[in-house]
């Protein structure tokens, strides 16, 4: 119960890593605020948490639309009166080589994966400053460390969220707010369901541990960073890749 009574907002929480994180936080005692564009997915995760004896509320949130973020923050404060954790997990991919990438593809990924992190953090920072406490974790990627073929937009966003986290660390650290970044490697999420088996096999072969990561393994890292056990971890960039980057 390392997150007992902490009010934790998780974006992109309807599936994959976000869903695993919401369930993990609930098991650790957090009051979970489940956020995603997919209302049915939000309702499903909230129901799972409550059925397991946890506490959760849910909101349909588009991280590119400040009014939906504001409604979520207002609802969270009305219900719980504080915000202890923000997990900036929402993200999309729209891959293409530089030659073929459209401006719309570039802008959409930047809006969700980079500007969305800014929007959500901006919406909660004054609350955390008033509390003199808080933990913010940005979901970056191994692509945010080394780039990747066909992912100009995604790499730019994932490099960017690390830069923002390091900047916020400098600005907010003396005020009781910690900010860190997590870089997942190849993780077995629904985003891989349409990939050919041979491509997934090649991904596994590149990892020294010989397998893809599990969403729960990222969730465990988020939970640790949100907890008081990580009280002196600030401005860190933590790879959860199975050794992929060696």
């Amino acid at each position: 119960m390392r997150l007992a009574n902490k009010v934790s907002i998780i974006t992109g929480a309807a599936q994959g890593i976000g869903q695993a994180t919401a369930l993990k936080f609930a098991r650790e005692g957090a009051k979970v605020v489940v956020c995603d564009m997919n209302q049915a997915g939000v309702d499903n995760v909230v129901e799972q948490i409550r059925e397991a004896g946890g506490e959760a509320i849910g909101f349909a949130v588009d991280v590119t639309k400040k009014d939906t973020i504001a409604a979520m923050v207002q609802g969270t404060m009305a219900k719980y009166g504080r915000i202890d954790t923000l997990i900036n997990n929402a993200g999309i991919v729209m891959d293409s080589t530089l030659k073929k990438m459209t401006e719309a593809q570039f802008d959409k990924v930047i809006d969700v994966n980079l500007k969305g992190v800014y929007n959500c953090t901006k919406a909660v920072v004054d609350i955390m400053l008033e509390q003199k406490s808080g933990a913010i974790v940005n979901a970056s990627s191994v692509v945010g460390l080394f780039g990747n073929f066909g992912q100009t937009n995604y790499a730019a966003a994932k490099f960017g969220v690390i830069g923002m986290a390091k900047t916020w660390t400098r600005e907010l650290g003396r005020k009781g707010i910690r900010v860190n970044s997590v870089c997942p490697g190849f993780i077995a999420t629904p985003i891989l369901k349409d990939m050919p088996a041979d491509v997934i096999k090649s991904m596994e072969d590149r990892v020294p541990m010989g397998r893809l990561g599990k969403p729960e393994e990222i969730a465990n890292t988020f939970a640790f960073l949100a907890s008081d056990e990580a009280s002196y971890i600030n401005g860190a960039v933590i790879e959860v890749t199975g050794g992929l980057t060696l």
Side-chain angles (χ1 to χ4, degrees), residues 22 27 32 54 59 72 99 107 142 178 186-187 204 206:
R27 288 194 298 271
V32 182
F59 297 90
M72 176 271 293
K99 179 177 175 61
D107 288 348
V142 65
R178 296 183 296 106
F186 297 149
I187 308 299
E204 292 173 340
R206 290 172 59 188

Side-chain angles (χ1 to χ4, degrees), residues 101-155:
M101 182 172 290
T102 66
E103 189 169 353
Q105 285 175 305
F106 183 85
D107 288 348
K108 182 65 174 177
V109 170
I110 295 297
D111 283 348
V112 174
N113 296 18
L114 183 62
K115 183 69 179 294
V117 171
Y118 168 84
N119 289 341
C120 291
T121 306
K122 183 76 170 176
V124 306
V125 69
D126 284 346
I127 294 166
M128 290 183 173
L129 286 170
E130 186 173 342
Q131 295 170 177
K132 297 183 173 60
S133 66
I136 299 165
V137 185
N138 291 349
S140 181
S141 168
V142 65
V143 175
L145 298 173
F146 296 98
N148 195 34
F149 186 94
Q151 291 193 308
T152 294
N153 47 10
Y154 190 76

Side-chain angles (χ1 to χ4, degrees), residues 2-204:
R2 71 180 74 186
L3 301 176
N5 298 315
K6 289 186 182 293
V7 179
S8 301
I9 296 171
I10 301 165
T11 68
Q15 65 176 3
I17 291 170
Q19 179 181 17
T21 301
L23 297 174
K24 171 66 174 178
F25 274 52
R27 288 194 298 271
E28 293 283 357
K31 296 176 172 66
V32 182
V33 183
V34 179
C35 304
D36 200 284
M37 289 179 62
N38 177 358
Q39 182 69 67
V42 168
D43 294 343
N44 175 55
V45 174
V46 169
E47 183 179 358
Q48 288 184 60
I49 290 172
R50 290 175 177 172
E51 286 181 349
E55 186 167 353
I57 55 176
F59 297 90
V61 174
D62 180 340
V63 297
T64 71
K65 296 181 178 178
K66 294 180 181 179
D67 58 335
T68 69
I69 299 170
M72 176 271 293
V73 172
Q74 290 166 8
T76 300
M77 291 300 289
K79 176 72 172 177
Y80 297 124
R82 62 182 297 110
I83 295 171
D84 299 292
T85 313
L86 171 64
I87 306 296
N88 283 309
N89 173 70
I92 61 170
V93 292
M94 298 181 73
D95 296 349
S96 180
T97 61
L98 175 61
K99 179 177 175 61
K100 295 180 179 180
M101 182 172 290
T102 66
E103 189 169 353
Q105 285 175 305
F106 183 85
D107 288 348
K108 182 65 174 177
V109 170
I110 295 297
D111 283 348
V112 174
N113 296 18
L114 183 62
K115 183 69 179 294
V117 171
Y118 168 84
N119 289 341
C120 291
T121 306
K122 183 76 170 176
V124 306
V125 69
D126 284 346
I127 294 166
M128 290 183 173
L129 286 170
E130 186 173 342
Q131 295 170 177
K132 297 183 173 60
S133 66
I136 299 165
V137 185
N138 291 349
S140 181
S141 168
V142 65
V143 175
L145 298 173
F146 296 98
N148 195 34
F149 186 94
Q151 291 193 308
T152 294
N153 47 10
Y154 190 76
K158 293 305 186 180
F159 271 94
V161 300
I162 292 174
M164 289 197 296
K166 287 182 175 292
T167 299
W168 298 338
T169 296
R170 292 178 180 273
E171 293 179 356
L172 304 174
R174 293 182 183 274
K175 299 172 183 179
I177 302 169
R178 296 183 296 106
V179 191
N180 293 290
S181 303
V182 173
C183 295
F186 297 149
I187 308 299
T189 66
I191 205 169
L192 302 183
K193 67 181 185 300
D194 295 325
M195 284 191 177
D198 61 329
V199 173
I200 293 177
K201 179 64 165 59
S202 70
M203 293 166 66
E204 292 173 340

